[in-house]
Amino acid sequence: MSAQSLYDKLWQSHVVREEADGTCLLYIDRHLVHEVTSPQAFEGLRLANRKPWRNHSIVATADHNTPTDHWDQGIQDPISRQQVETLDANIRAFGALAYFPFKDERQGIVHVVGPENGATLPGMTVVCGDSHTSTHGAFAALAHGIGTSEVEHVMATQTLVAKKSRSMLIRVDGQLGQGVTAKDVALAIIGKIGTAGGTGYAVEFGGSAIRGLSVEGRMTLCNMAIEGGARAGMVAVDDKTIAYLKDRPFSPKGEQWDAAVEYWKTLVSDEGAQFDSVVVLKAEEIEPQVTWGTSPEQVLAVNGRVPDPAAEADPVKKGSYERALQYMGLTANTPLTDIPVDKVFIGSCTNSRIEDLRAAAGIAKGKQKAANVKLVLVVPGSGLVKRQAEAEGLDKIFIAAGFEWREPGCSMCLAMNADRLEPGERCASTSNRNFEGRQGQGGRTHLVSPEMAAAAAIAGHFVDVRTFA
Amino acid sequence: MKPFTQLNGLVCPLDRANVDTDAIIPKQFLKSIKRSGFGPNLFDEWRYLDHGEPGMDNSKRQINPEFVLNFPRYAGAQVLLARDNFGCGSSREHAPWAIEDYGFRAVIAPSFADIFFNNCFKNGLLPIVLSTEVVDQLFSEAEATEGYQLAIDLEQQTVTTPAGQSFSFDITAHRKHCLLNGLDEIGLTLAHAEEIRVFEEKRKAQQPWLFV
């Protein structure tokens, strides 16, 4: 047999049937569910009098609408509350392998909760009505976001109608410098290929810099594959993957663990595997990144300056640069480090895991947020992350620095709950999207790593974390 | 699902690249547990000058007269003409729901984001990819000519201009069949239930740890 890529292996092992035009029925192992994109799917099942094909494939949690403070008061917004209660009722009616409802100690962002419970395993197909499902590809799973009609389709049939994507290898060779994180790698890749660069592709991240990343770093990287247009991002299995999964609640145990590990070790691209496209970056050339515009591809190294639209030849690009600068309230050629911030958000499915919080705390320790910074929100990705952070005393470091230590959830990444930017407010954010209005209507988002966000909170403006003391 | 066969529709040109699904339907409207009624909030932050929330009477809101959808000449448009990477970002199917609920039946662009593209087909909304050059031409013509309509024929896979110029587009046989007939995809898949069951049993034997 010819050399196969990781994607080839994952795809092939899930094809139930294939039609003449290449359309396949793909078997789905894990279905992650949250409150926003599932109610209409459950309703569809009800209307058609259908049952879930295998409700033990479902792991559910409430994350988008949940508040991050005053949990004793419940969910104040009645429409948000209704959506969360609808999920409660649907899971009661239809069943699931696990449900982590609002206030449960294991509740949290679905893409944090899945892996930390061992509900995401190598070799799985993982879907969720959420574009950041690409996160789970960090475990050599084929994982991608789907729409609500597909949520219903997976519930009813345990399959998805899909066609194989083209394959792309993004190789990052070398060693990342001090202060340069997985987030910076993700942003640098998107800056290079553009937000549509990965459209139509399933991306494998490889190379020595990727192997050097922790499993949590790989999750950050795969999480942002979708911001580069690729529905799925993935990283091959290695010893780090296996060590991470050992003894997680839903990880296999005993003899099954041994059998699983033996299989998982085959989940790598074979020597000589072919890709439709290969992109190469040098780790040493990647610097801490800051986005300046309203698309994740509008990104520069921290020591750069806001671009001048007049220098752009392409009229569509020039127009979008002008529009972005106007929305962001920025002037061409301003050094990024001169841009002051009003709020800082440390959290989201991209950067809310324990290593992210440790990194942010490492910067904030013994310091105070700048006077011009109105609010620094630290929102752990899950109840378990929160508990771990508190066990390590990270909460005390944040509180002493004037940051707010909150309850887990999606929070100000998309501002469906009460955490949001007001019009014109500027935010250093560890989340994944700097779209217009994403963090609140009129809000201005700059995407950065947790270290860079914490440093901006202390300095009051963007700073190069490599020289920040 | 409403079948899609042919359409002769007024074209509304939205001249922006990378239109994301947050812009198509902002997050506050995602709190609904229904799949209809999103049309009045399509492009909410661009379309209105005030801040929109679910449950508001949209007819009383302040319209942004500079946003293309609000130009009287585009009232009743059924074809949305767009730029590269339309529908990027969040997987929310509320985006095609809003576009369809507003009255559009087709979106034409040089490229679409994958998840959005896929979601359209589940809702009787036809996304059509045409080359950048052709889309440029359609933008010029639509902006220059009031009442500009395009004729779309799914069976023939063509888009035809008022001057009779025809452009063909690609679509997979499966998607075309479902759209032409307005088929319930779940019903189609369940016709293969036995194959799925056989596959599942084999998988269970090979990787029992996936079936706890």
Side-chain angles (χ1 to χ4, degrees):
Chain A
M1 196 171 28
S2 62
Q4 286 188 306
S5 68
L6 170 59
Y7 177 56
D8 292 334
K9 293 178 186 180
L10 292 172
W11 180 268
Q12 205 175 64
S13 60
H14 289 87
V15 174
V16 175
R17 59 176 277 118
E18 181 166 353
E19 290 176 40
D21 71 348
T23 303
C24 294
L25 271 188
L26 203 65
Y27 188 81
I28 301 303
D29 297 307
R30 174 67 67 229
H31 191 180
L32 302 169
V33 170
H34 65 78
E35 78 276 18
V36 179
T37 55
S38 65
Q40 298 86 351
F42 283 115
E43 185 62 13
L45 288 185
R46 253 187 215 103
L47 290 173
N49 201 20
R50 288 175 176 135
K51 284 195 168 72
W53 180 282
R54 182 163 71 85
N55 63 9
H56 269 211
S57 68
I58 296 173
V59 171
T61 191
D63 54 7
H64 285 60
N65 280 277
T66 55
T68 59
D69 60 356
H70 304 298
W71 270 15
D72 54 320
Q73 295 169 20
I75 302 173
Q76 294 293 304
D77 176 351
I79 327 179
S80 287
R81 189 169 63 239
Q82 184 194 28
Q83 199 166 55
V84 171
E85 287 172 353
T86 301
L87 179 62
D88 292 340
N90 281 330
I91 297 296
R92 267 199 306 276
F94 292 98
L97 172 67
Y99 180 42
F100 307 119
F102 175 46
K103 294 189 187 181
D104 187 279
E105 66 163 1
R106 287 201 276 167
Q107 175 268 347
I109 307 173
V110 68
H111 307 308
V112 176
V113 164
E116 76 182 0
N117 284 288
T120 301
L121 297 173
M124 276 183 167
T125 41
V126 180
V127 295
C128 175
D130 192 290
S131 61
H132 292 112
T133 308
S134 57
T135 309
H136 308 266
F139 296 90
L142 178 57
H144 61 78
I146 55 177
T148 297
S149 294
E150 291 180 314
V151 169
E152 184 183 338
H153 192 279
V154 173
M155 283 176 178
T157 71
Q158 212 58 44
T159 63
L160 206 55
V161 178
K163 265 188 98 165
K164 197 176 177 189
S165 304
R166 286 170 291 171
S167 62
M168 181 186 285
L169 172 67
I170 298 182
R171 213 176 68 214
V172 188
D173 295 327
Q175 201 179 352
L176 295 173
Q178 167 263 333
V180 181
T181 68
K183 181 63 163 289
D184 301 302
V185 175
L187 288 170
I189 288 170
I190 296 162
K192 186 179 170 92
I193 68 171
T195 50
T199 302
Y201 288 96
V203 169
E204 178 176 348
F205 297 102
S208 46
I210 307 303
R211 286 197 297 278
L213 290 175
S214 69
V215 171
E216 292 194 1
R218 295 169 187 181
M219 282 193 253
T220 300
L221 182 62
C222 289
N223 172 275
M224 291 199 65
I226 184 65
E227 310 314 331
R231 282 217 291 180
M234 64 198 80
V235 175
V237 166
D238 64 7
D239 291 344
K240 290 180 188 175
T241 325
I242 292 164
Y244 179 96
L245 291 168
K246 184 103 178 102
D247 299 326
R248 302 265 165 190
F250 294 115
S251 289
K253 309 279 182 310
E255 278 174 25
Q256 288 206 4
W257 169 260
D258 297 335
V261 168
E262 194 183 336
Y263 170 62
W264 294 346
K265 285 182 171 170
T266 68
L267 297 173
V268 298
S269 286
D270 297 334
E271 191 69 38
Q274 297 293 305
F275 294 87
D276 296 307
S277 175
V278 178
V279 175
V280 181
L281 284 84
K282 287 199 177 79
E284 289 77 10
E285 290 175 2
I286 300 174
E287 299 182 81
Q289 306 279 305
V290 181
T291 64
W292 55 268
T294 52
S295 163
E297 71 185 24
Q298 293 173 334
V299 64
L300 285 168
V302 61
N303 294 316
R305 288 169 182 266
V306 175
D308 188 349
E312 263 304 321
D314 174 10
V316 174
K317 214 166 191 180
K318 186 184 184 134
S320 76
Y321 276 26
E322 281 167 353
R323 211 190 134 69
L325 290 197
Q326 189 191 13
Y327 181 86
M328 293 297 288
L330 292 174
T331 312
N333 299 314
T334 307
L336 295 177
T337 49
D338 282 0
I339 301 173
V341 300
D342 303 305
K343 287 182 177 170
V344 175
F345 173 59
I346 298 171
S348 87
C349 57
T350 313
N351 280 129
S352 64
R353 298 178 182 82
I354 190 66
E355 291 174 11
D356 299 315
L357 301 185
R358 284 176 192 146
I363 298 287
K365 190 168 188 177
K367 299 199 176 71
Q368 274 294 315
K369 78 171 175 69
N372 64 302
V373 177
K374 290 184 249 184
L375 176 73
V376 183
L377 273 185
V378 186
V379 182
S382 71
L384 295 184
V385 170
K386 182 170 193 254
R387 202 165 64 187
Q388 177 66 27
E390 289 174 350
E392 297 177 20
L394 305 184
D395 56 325
K396 297 200 172 55
I397 294 174
F398 291 130
I399 292 164
F403 297 8
E404 292 201 13
W405 178 242
R406 294 289 186 93
E407 304 291 347
C410 298
S411 181
M412 207 163 73
C413 172
L414 88 167
M416 267 188 90
N417 68 0
D419 308 333
R420 68 186 60 167
L421 298 180
E422 297 302 322
E425 280 184 340
R426 188 181 299 287
C427 182
S429 180
T430 67
S431 55
N432 39 58
R433 290 189 174 132
N434 52 347
F435 298 155
E436 286 184 27
R438 171 78 179 182
Q439 294 193 291
Q441 190 169 10
R444 295 162 171 166
T445 303
H446 296 267
L447 304 176
V448 289
S449 71
E451 288 88 332
M452 287 285 288
I458 305 297
H461 54 86
F462 293 105
V463 287
D464 187 343
V465 74
R466 293 170 299 184
T467 51
F468 183 73
Chain B
M1 185 173 81
K2 238 190 276 179
F4 187 112
T5 50
Q6 288 173 325
L7 170 74
N8 221 329
L10 181 69
V11 178
C12 178
L14 179 65
D15 197 359
R16 290 181 194 188
N18 298 313
V19 171
D20 59 77
T21 53
D22 273 85
I24 295 171
I25 183 82
K27 82 279 285 170
Q28 61 270 35
F29 304 105
L30 273 48
K31 295 177 188 180
S32 169
I33 56 172
K34 302 200 179 87
R35 63 192 301 158
S36 57
F38 295 101
N41 301 109
L42 173 67
F43 298 118
D44 198 271
E45 290 184 6
W46 293 345
R47 203 162 139 201
Y48 301 97
L49 292 169
D50 55 353
H51 176 75
E53 283 292 332
M56 280 170 89
D57 180 352
N58 293 293
S59 67
K60 298 204 170 112
R61 292 177 60 196
Q62 223 184 329
I63 296 286
N64 174 8
E66 287 174 14
F67 184 57
V68 68
L69 222 59
N70 291 326
F71 295 2
R73 62 185 274 190
Y74 298 124
Q78 288 182 289
V79 179
L80 184 63
L81 185 60
R83 293 289 187 188
D84 266 314
N85 200 25
F86 187 82
C88 61
S90 155
S91 61
R92 60 189 69 167
E93 196 165 318
H94 311 68
W97 292 340
I99 293 171
E100 198 270 342
D101 194 58
Y102 178 88
F104 288 112
R105 296 298 318 277
V107 187
I108 300 176
S111 63
F112 291 89
D114 287 340
I115 302 178
F116 175 84
F117 189 73
N118 203 30
N119 284 340
C120 286
F121 292 104
K122 319 289 180 186
N123 295 283
L125 183 66
L126 176 61
I128 297 174
V129 177
L130 294 175
S131 73
T132 304
E133 294 69 33
V134 170
V135 170
D136 279 345
Q137 179 192 331
L138 298 182
F139 263 98
S140 310
E141 292 178 6
E143 282 164 1
T145 319
E146 198 154 335
Y148 185 83
Q149 295 202 348
L150 287 171
I152 298 168
D153 187 326
L154 178 56
E155 180 60 51
Q156 296 301 315
Q157 297 179 218
T158 54
V159 176
T160 308
T161 69
Q165 203 180 353
S166 245
F167 306 102
S168 59
F169 60 88
D170 287 335
I171 182 171
T172 65
H174 177 86
R175 282 172 167 159
K176 183 172 172 177
H177 176 67
C178 287
L179 213 45
L180 280 173
N181 298 292
L183 295 177
D184 165 20
E185 210 173 42
I186 294 177
L188 285 182
T189 298
L190 286 175
H192 305 295
E194 196 45 43
E195 273 174 88
I196 301 172
R197 241 184 292 278
V198 168
F199 180 94
E200 191 168 56
E201 285 308 316
K202 204 174 82 194
R203 193 159 178 74
K204 205 182 228 170
Q206 286 167 345
Q207 298 183 50
W209 58 86
L210 297 176
F211 293 82
V212 289

